[in-house]
Protein backbone atom coordinates (compact mmCIF):
# COMPACT_ATOMS: atom_id res chain seq x y z
CA UNK A 1 0.00 0.00 0.00
CA UNK A 2 1.24 3.46 -0.86
CA UNK A 3 -0.31 6.88 -0.41
CA UNK A 4 -2.22 6.45 -3.65
CA UNK A 5 -4.14 3.54 -2.15
CA UNK A 6 -5.46 5.74 0.64
CA UNK A 7 -8.54 7.50 -0.63
CA UNK A 8 -8.74 11.29 -0.42
CA UNK A 9 -6.43 13.55 1.66
CA UNK A 10 -4.57 14.70 -1.44
CA UNK A 11 -3.23 17.81 0.32
CA UNK A 12 -1.80 15.89 3.28
CA UNK A 13 -0.36 13.21 1.04
CA UNK A 14 1.36 15.82 -1.09
CA UNK A 15 2.79 17.55 1.97
CA UNK A 16 4.10 14.28 3.38
CA UNK A 17 5.45 13.08 0.05
CA UNK A 18 8.05 15.86 -0.17
CA UNK A 19 10.06 15.01 2.98
CA UNK A 20 10.14 11.35 1.92
CA UNK A 21 12.50 12.20 -0.90
CA UNK A 22 14.41 14.91 0.93
CA UNK A 23 15.54 15.58 4.46
CA UNK A 24 12.45 14.79 6.52
CA UNK A 25 13.02 16.82 9.68
CA UNK A 26 12.29 15.33 13.07
CA UNK A 27 8.67 15.86 14.04
CA UNK A 28 5.37 15.94 12.22
CA UNK A 29 1.94 16.61 13.57
CA UNK A 30 -1.04 15.11 11.76
CA UNK A 31 -4.19 16.83 12.93
CA UNK A 32 -7.85 16.46 12.07
CA UNK A 33 -11.11 15.21 13.55
CA UNK A 34 -11.36 11.81 15.17
CA UNK A 35 -11.93 9.02 12.64
CA UNK A 36 -10.50 10.93 9.70
CA UNK A 37 -7.56 8.57 9.22
CA UNK A 38 -4.61 10.27 10.92
CA UNK A 39 -3.07 7.04 12.18
CA UNK A 40 -3.63 5.23 8.89
CA UNK A 41 -1.87 8.02 7.02
CA UNK A 42 0.77 8.27 9.76
CA UNK A 43 1.60 4.57 9.36
CA UNK A 44 1.96 4.97 5.60
CA UNK A 45 4.18 7.97 6.14
CA UNK A 46 6.26 5.97 8.64
CA UNK A 47 6.61 3.20 6.07
CA UNK A 48 7.86 5.75 3.55
CA UNK A 49 10.35 7.12 6.08
CA UNK A 50 11.76 3.66 6.76
CA UNK A 51 11.65 2.39 3.16
CA UNK A 52 14.93 1.84 1.28
CA UNK A 53 13.54 3.32 -1.97
CA UNK A 54 10.82 5.79 -1.07
CA UNK A 55 9.12 8.05 -3.59
CA UNK A 56 6.71 10.93 -3.10
CA UNK A 57 4.07 8.25 -3.21
CA UNK A 58 5.28 6.58 -0.02
CA UNK A 59 7.07 3.30 0.61
CA UNK A 60 7.99 1.01 -2.31
CA UNK A 61 6.09 -1.88 -0.76
CA UNK A 62 8.70 -4.47 -1.69
CA UNK A 63 11.91 -3.75 0.28
CA UNK A 64 12.51 -5.49 3.58
CA UNK A 65 11.59 -2.34 5.50
CA UNK A 66 8.20 -2.15 3.78
CA UNK A 67 7.60 -5.84 4.36
CA UNK A 68 8.43 -5.55 8.07
CA UNK A 69 6.07 -2.58 8.26
CA UNK A 70 3.31 -4.53 6.54
CA UNK A 71 3.85 -7.42 8.95
CA UNK A 72 3.82 -4.92 11.83
CA UNK A 73 7.19 -6.23 13.02
CA UNK A 74 9.59 -3.45 12.02
CA UNK A 75 12.18 -3.16 14.83
CA UNK A 76 12.75 0.55 14.12
CA UNK A 77 9.11 1.56 14.37
CA UNK A 78 7.08 2.05 17.51
CA UNK A 79 3.61 3.28 18.30
CA UNK A 80 2.51 4.82 21.54
CA UNK A 81 -1.28 4.81 21.61
CA UNK A 82 -3.84 5.45 24.28
CA UNK A 83 -4.70 2.07 25.84
CA UNK A 84 -8.42 1.23 25.62
CA UNK A 85 -10.32 2.44 28.66
CA UNK A 86 -7.54 4.77 29.80
CA UNK A 87 -7.79 8.55 29.88
CA UNK A 88 -4.13 9.28 29.33
CA UNK A 89 -0.95 7.59 28.25
CA UNK A 90 1.15 7.08 31.36
CA UNK A 91 4.25 9.25 31.66
CA UNK A 92 6.12 6.10 32.64
CA UNK A 93 5.20 4.66 29.26
CA UNK A 94 6.44 7.76 27.44
CA UNK A 95 9.74 7.25 29.25
CA UNK A 96 10.10 3.50 28.83
CA UNK A 97 8.67 3.11 25.32
CA UNK A 98 10.06 6.29 23.74
CA UNK A 99 12.61 8.28 25.71
CA UNK A 100 14.76 5.34 26.75
CA UNK A 101 14.65 3.99 23.19
CA UNK A 102 15.49 7.04 21.08
CA UNK A 103 19.21 6.91 21.92
CA UNK A 104 19.58 3.38 20.56
CA UNK A 105 20.56 3.27 16.88
CA UNK A 106 18.24 1.84 14.30
CA UNK A 107 18.61 -1.83 13.42
CA UNK A 108 17.74 -2.16 9.75
CA UNK A 109 16.41 1.14 8.48
CA UNK A 110 18.31 4.39 8.24
CA UNK A 111 16.19 5.91 10.95
CA UNK A 112 13.71 5.17 13.70
CA UNK A 113 10.12 6.34 13.62
CA UNK A 114 7.71 6.80 16.51
CA UNK A 115 3.98 7.32 16.03
CA UNK A 116 2.41 8.92 19.08
CA UNK A 117 -1.27 9.51 19.76
CA UNK A 118 -0.89 12.99 21.22
CA UNK A 119 -4.59 13.10 22.18
CA UNK A 120 -3.56 10.68 24.91
CA UNK A 121 -0.78 12.90 26.23
CA UNK A 122 -1.70 15.06 29.19
CA UNK A 123 0.52 18.01 29.99
CA UNK A 124 2.90 15.89 32.02
CA UNK A 125 3.33 13.45 29.17
CA UNK A 126 3.89 16.27 26.71
CA UNK A 127 6.48 17.81 28.96
CA UNK A 128 8.28 14.49 29.23
CA UNK A 129 8.47 14.34 25.45
CA UNK A 130 9.39 17.96 24.94
CA UNK A 131 13.12 17.79 25.62
CA UNK A 132 13.60 15.04 23.06
CA UNK A 133 11.48 16.94 20.54
CA UNK A 134 13.68 19.98 21.07
CA UNK A 135 16.92 18.10 20.60
CA UNK A 136 16.09 14.93 18.77
CA UNK A 137 18.79 12.40 17.91
CA UNK A 138 19.68 12.62 14.22
CA UNK A 139 18.17 9.28 13.25
CA UNK A 140 14.74 9.81 14.86
CA UNK A 141 11.45 11.01 13.40
CA UNK A 142 8.33 11.55 15.47
CA UNK A 143 4.84 11.46 14.00
CA UNK A 144 2.26 12.88 16.37
CA UNK A 145 -1.46 12.61 15.72
CA UNK A 146 -4.00 14.87 17.38
CA UNK A 147 -7.66 15.70 16.99
CA UNK A 148 -7.61 18.69 19.32
CA UNK A 149 -4.55 20.83 18.73
CA UNK A 150 -5.55 23.26 21.47
CA UNK A 151 -4.65 20.62 24.06
CA UNK A 152 -1.04 20.63 22.95
CA UNK A 153 1.57 22.84 24.56
CA UNK A 154 2.64 25.71 22.29
CA UNK A 155 6.19 24.43 22.58
CA UNK A 156 5.11 21.07 21.13
CA UNK A 157 3.29 22.82 18.29
CA UNK A 158 6.29 24.98 17.47
CA UNK A 159 8.58 21.93 17.25
CA UNK A 160 6.44 20.04 14.77
CA UNK A 161 5.57 20.42 11.11
CA UNK A 162 1.80 20.52 11.10
CA UNK A 163 -0.18 18.72 8.39
CA UNK A 164 -3.92 19.01 8.53
CA UNK A 165 -6.29 16.29 7.37
CA UNK A 166 -9.58 17.63 6.06
CA UNK A 167 -12.88 15.79 5.64
CA UNK A 168 -13.14 13.80 2.44
CA UNK A 169 -15.86 14.40 -0.09
CA UNK A 170 -18.97 12.24 0.02
CA UNK A 171 -17.79 10.58 -3.18
CA UNK A 172 -14.41 9.71 -1.60
CA UNK A 173 -16.02 8.21 1.50
CA UNK A 174 -18.35 6.20 -0.70
CA UNK A 175 -15.45 4.92 -2.79
CA UNK A 176 -13.58 3.91 0.35
CA UNK A 177 -16.60 2.02 1.75
CA UNK A 178 -17.19 0.18 -1.52
CA UNK A 179 -13.51 -0.74 -1.83
CA UNK A 180 -13.42 -2.09 1.71
CA UNK A 181 -16.83 -3.78 1.50
CA UNK A 182 -17.22 -5.26 -1.97
CA UNK A 183 -20.64 -6.72 -1.14
CA UNK A 184 -22.09 -3.39 -0.15
CA UNK A 185 -24.80 -1.89 -2.35
CA UNK A 186 -23.89 1.41 -3.94
CA UNK A 187 -26.95 3.18 -2.56
CA UNK A 188 -26.16 1.92 0.91
CA UNK A 189 -22.62 3.27 0.66
CA UNK A 190 -24.07 6.62 -0.48
CA UNK A 191 -26.28 6.78 2.57
CA UNK A 192 -23.41 6.18 5.00
CA UNK A 193 -21.18 8.56 3.05
CA UNK A 194 -23.86 11.27 3.17
CA UNK A 195 -24.06 10.97 6.94
CA UNK A 196 -20.35 10.63 7.58
CA UNK A 197 -19.57 14.34 7.28
CA UNK A 198 -16.62 13.25 5.15
CA UNK A 199 -15.12 11.23 8.00
CA UNK A 200 -14.41 7.65 7.02
CA UNK A 201 -14.11 6.44 10.62
CA UNK A 202 -17.55 7.86 11.38
CA UNK A 203 -19.06 6.16 8.32
CA UNK A 204 -17.58 2.87 9.51
CA UNK A 205 -19.01 3.41 12.96
CA UNK A 206 -22.44 4.08 11.49
CA UNK A 207 -22.20 0.77 9.66
CA UNK A 208 -21.85 -1.12 12.94
CA UNK A 209 -25.56 -0.80 13.61
CA UNK A 210 -28.62 -0.82 11.36
CA UNK A 211 -29.95 2.41 12.88
CA UNK A 212 -29.47 4.52 9.79
CA UNK A 213 -30.96 2.08 7.31
CA UNK A 214 -33.86 1.26 9.68
CA UNK A 215 -34.63 4.95 10.12
CA UNK A 216 -34.52 5.46 6.37
CA UNK A 217 -37.06 2.65 5.86
CA UNK A 218 -39.36 3.93 8.61
CA UNK A 219 -39.30 7.49 7.28
CA UNK A 220 -39.74 6.38 3.68
CA UNK A 221 -42.87 4.42 4.67
CA UNK A 222 -44.18 7.38 6.59
CA UNK A 223 -43.65 9.80 3.71
CA UNK A 224 -45.30 7.41 1.25
CA UNK A 225 -48.32 7.19 3.56
CA UNK A 226 -48.57 10.90 4.28
CA UNK A 227 -51.48 11.61 1.89
CA UNK A 228 -53.62 8.75 3.20
CA UNK A 229 -52.70 8.41 6.86
CA UNK A 230 -55.26 9.83 9.32
CA UNK A 231 -54.34 12.87 11.37
CA UNK A 232 -54.96 10.86 14.53
CA UNK A 233 -52.48 8.19 13.53
CA UNK A 234 -49.97 10.71 12.31
CA UNK A 235 -50.03 12.44 15.69
CA UNK A 236 -49.89 9.23 17.71
CA UNK A 237 -47.91 6.32 16.22
CA UNK A 238 -45.83 8.47 13.89
CA UNK A 239 -45.22 11.16 16.47
CA UNK A 240 -44.15 8.48 18.94
CA UNK A 241 -41.43 7.35 16.60
CA UNK A 242 -39.95 10.85 16.59
CA UNK A 243 -40.34 11.07 20.35
CA UNK A 244 -38.44 7.82 20.88
CA UNK A 245 -35.71 8.93 18.51
CA UNK A 246 -35.65 12.52 19.74
CA UNK A 247 -31.89 12.36 20.41
CA UNK A 248 -31.42 11.81 16.69
CA UNK A 249 -33.90 14.39 15.47
CA UNK A 250 -31.39 16.28 13.26
CA UNK A 251 -30.44 13.00 11.59
CA UNK A 252 -34.11 12.16 11.01
CA UNK A 253 -34.63 15.54 9.36
CA UNK A 254 -31.59 14.98 7.17
CA UNK A 255 -32.93 11.57 6.15
CA UNK A 256 -36.33 13.04 5.27
CA UNK A 257 -34.58 15.71 3.24
CA UNK A 258 -32.73 13.01 1.35
CA UNK A 259 -36.00 11.22 0.63
CA UNK A 260 -37.61 14.41 -0.68
CA UNK A 261 -34.48 15.07 -2.77
CA UNK A 262 -34.82 11.65 -4.34
CA UNK A 263 -38.50 12.29 -5.02
CA UNK A 264 -37.59 15.52 -6.81
CA UNK A 265 -34.97 13.65 -8.86
CA UNK A 266 -37.57 11.02 -9.80
CA UNK A 267 -40.07 13.68 -10.72
CA UNK A 268 -37.60 15.16 -13.17
CA UNK A 269 -36.53 11.77 -14.49
CA UNK A 270 -38.45 8.64 -13.46
CA UNK A 271 -35.69 6.43 -14.87
CA UNK A 272 -33.03 7.85 -12.51
CA UNK A 273 -30.78 5.23 -11.00
CA UNK A 274 -28.54 4.78 -7.99
CA UNK A 275 -31.07 6.22 -5.62
CA UNK A 276 -31.01 4.97 -2.07
CA UNK A 277 -34.74 4.46 -2.40
CA UNK A 278 -34.29 2.25 -5.48
CA UNK A 279 -36.59 -0.47 -4.13
CA UNK A 280 -39.28 2.09 -3.32
CA UNK A 281 -38.91 3.92 -6.63
CA UNK A 282 -42.20 2.72 -8.12
CA UNK A 283 -44.07 3.48 -4.92
CA UNK A 284 -42.61 6.97 -4.78
CA UNK A 285 -43.54 7.65 -8.40
CA UNK A 286 -47.11 6.42 -8.02
CA UNK A 287 -47.61 8.33 -4.76
CA UNK A 288 -46.41 11.54 -6.43
CA UNK A 289 -48.62 10.96 -9.49
CA UNK A 290 -51.70 10.19 -7.45
CA UNK A 291 -51.26 13.33 -5.40
CA UNK A 292 -50.13 15.55 -8.26
CA UNK A 293 -46.91 16.37 -6.44
CA UNK A 294 -44.70 18.96 -8.11
CA UNK A 295 -41.13 20.08 -7.55
CA UNK A 296 -42.64 23.19 -5.96
CA UNK A 297 -44.56 21.09 -3.44
CA UNK A 298 -41.50 19.03 -2.64
CA UNK A 299 -39.62 22.29 -2.11
CA UNK A 300 -42.28 23.30 0.38
CA UNK A 301 -41.80 20.00 2.23
CA UNK A 302 -38.08 20.79 2.50
CA UNK A 303 -38.96 24.21 3.88
CA UNK A 304 -41.19 22.56 6.48
CA UNK A 305 -38.17 20.48 7.55
CA UNK A 306 -35.98 23.60 7.72
CA UNK A 307 -38.54 25.32 9.94
CA UNK A 308 -38.64 22.27 12.23
CA UNK A 309 -34.84 22.19 12.37
CA UNK A 310 -34.71 25.86 13.36
CA UNK A 311 -37.38 25.44 16.04
CA UNK A 312 -35.52 22.43 17.40
CA UNK A 313 -32.22 24.30 17.49
CA UNK A 314 -33.93 27.14 19.35
CA UNK A 315 -35.10 24.59 21.95
CA UNK A 316 -38.74 24.82 20.87
CA UNK A 317 -41.27 22.46 22.45
CA UNK A 318 -40.56 19.09 20.83
CA UNK A 319 -44.13 17.84 20.68
CA UNK A 320 -45.43 21.04 19.14
CA UNK A 321 -42.71 21.35 16.55
CA UNK A 322 -42.93 17.71 15.47
CA UNK A 323 -46.74 17.73 15.25
CA UNK A 324 -46.68 20.96 13.25
CA UNK A 325 -44.09 19.48 10.94
CA UNK A 326 -46.05 16.27 10.39
CA UNK A 327 -49.31 18.12 9.68
CA UNK A 328 -47.61 20.55 7.32
CA UNK A 329 -45.91 17.71 5.45
CA UNK A 330 -49.24 15.93 5.15
CA UNK A 331 -50.85 19.07 3.78
CA UNK A 332 -48.12 19.61 1.17
CA UNK A 333 -48.20 16.02 -0.02
CA UNK A 334 -51.94 15.83 -0.51
CA UNK A 335 -53.67 16.39 -3.81
CA UNK A 336 -54.82 19.98 -4.21
ZN1 LIG B 1 10.20 -0.02 0.62
Amino acid sequence: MAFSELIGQSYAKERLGVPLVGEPGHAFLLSGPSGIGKKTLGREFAKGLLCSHPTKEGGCGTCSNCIYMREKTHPDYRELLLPAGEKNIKVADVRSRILSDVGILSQIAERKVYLIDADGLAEEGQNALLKTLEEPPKHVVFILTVSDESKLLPTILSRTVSVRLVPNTEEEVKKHLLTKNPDMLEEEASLYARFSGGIIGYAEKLMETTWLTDAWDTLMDMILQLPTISRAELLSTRYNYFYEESDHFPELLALMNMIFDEMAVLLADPTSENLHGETKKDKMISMMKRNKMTVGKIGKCSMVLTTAAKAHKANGNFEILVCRMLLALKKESMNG
Side-chain angles (χ1 to χ4, degrees), residues 230-240 322-323 326-327:
S230 72
R231 282 171 64 107
E233 206 198 323
L234 192 61
L235 300 183
S236 55
T237 331
R238 294 307 184 174
Y239 167 74
N240 284 341
V322 172
C323 290
L326 292 173
L327 290 172

Side-chain angles (χ1 to χ4, degrees), residues 13-250:
K13 289 193 288 196
E14 225 167 273
R15 283 286 309 273
L16 295 176
V18 177
L20 287 184
V21 291
E23 264 309 307
H26 292 288
F28 294 83
L29 177 68
L30 306 185
S31 64
S34 172
I36 202 157
K38 299 182 289 294
K39 290 191 192 79
T40 310
L41 184 62
R43 287 179 187 120
E44 277 308 303
F45 181 48
K47 193 170 91 181
L49 288 168
L50 295 167
C51 174
S52 311
H53 323 284
T55 67
K56 281 183 178 179
E57 281 295 305
C60 68
T62 51
C63 72
S64 54
N65 285 301
C66 286
I67 291 168
Y68 279 126
M69 276 304 277
R70 194 177 63 216
E71 304 291 327
K72 300 189 170 74
T73 53
H74 203 301
D76 300 322
Y77 174 72
R78 276 196 183 181
E79 292 187 356
L80 186 61
L81 307 179
L82 183 64
E86 300 275 330
K87 265 186 93 179
N88 291 308
I89 294 170
K90 291 193 186 77
V91 180
D93 289 341
V94 177
R95 294 211 173 94
S96 66
R97 305 258 310 130
I98 310 285
L99 303 183
S100 65
D101 189 66
V102 290
I104 303 167
L105 287 177
S106 58
Q107 289 182 41
I108 55 170
E110 266 180 51
R111 52 178 73 99
K112 293 175 86 158
V113 179
Y114 299 90
L115 179 91
I116 303 173
D117 177 4
D119 283 313
L121 290 179
E123 202 173 322
E124 214 189 340
Q126 293 180 38
N127 271 321
L129 194 62
L130 196 57
K131 207 173 155 350
T132 309
L133 272 185
E134 280 169 348
E135 291 164 23
K138 256 186 130 171
H139 62 282
V140 167
V141 179
F142 290 102
I143 305 170
L144 274 57
T145 63
V146 75
S147 52
D148 185 359
E149 269 178 76
S150 71
K151 288 200 180 132
L152 293 182
L153 299 169
T155 36
I156 295 259
L157 290 172
S158 68
R159 297 286 163 189
T160 52
V161 173
S162 176
V163 177
R164 217 175 153 68
L165 278 72
V166 293
N168 284 311
T169 64
E170 235 175 271
E171 213 35 55
E172 286 166 341
V173 176
K174 184 177 158 186
K175 198 171 149 197
H176 170 89
L177 295 179
L178 288 171
T179 312
K180 271 190 92 180
N181 310 280
D183 295 337
M184 188 178 238
L185 295 174
E186 212 177 313
E187 55 263 31
E188 208 177 328
S190 305
L191 182 67
Y192 290 118
R194 176 79 75 95
F195 272 77
S196 66
I199 296 173
I200 285 170
Y202 186 59
E204 285 171 339
K205 213 169 153 196
L206 283 174
M207 281 166 52
E208 287 169 12
T209 74
T210 58
W211 185 86
L212 196 59
T213 44
D214 289 348
W216 168 278
D217 290 341
T218 305
L219 294 167
M220 172 65 89
D221 286 341
M222 185 198 78
I223 288 174
L224 289 175
Q225 289 169 6
L226 274 175
T228 50
I229 195 171
S230 72
R231 282 171 64 107
E233 206 198 323
L234 192 61
L235 300 183
S236 55
T237 331
R238 294 307 184 174
Y239 167 74
N240 284 341
Y241 172 72
F242 285 92
Y243 180 74
E244 278 159 21
E245 296 289 347
S246 54
D247 286 348
H248 301 290
F249 189 60

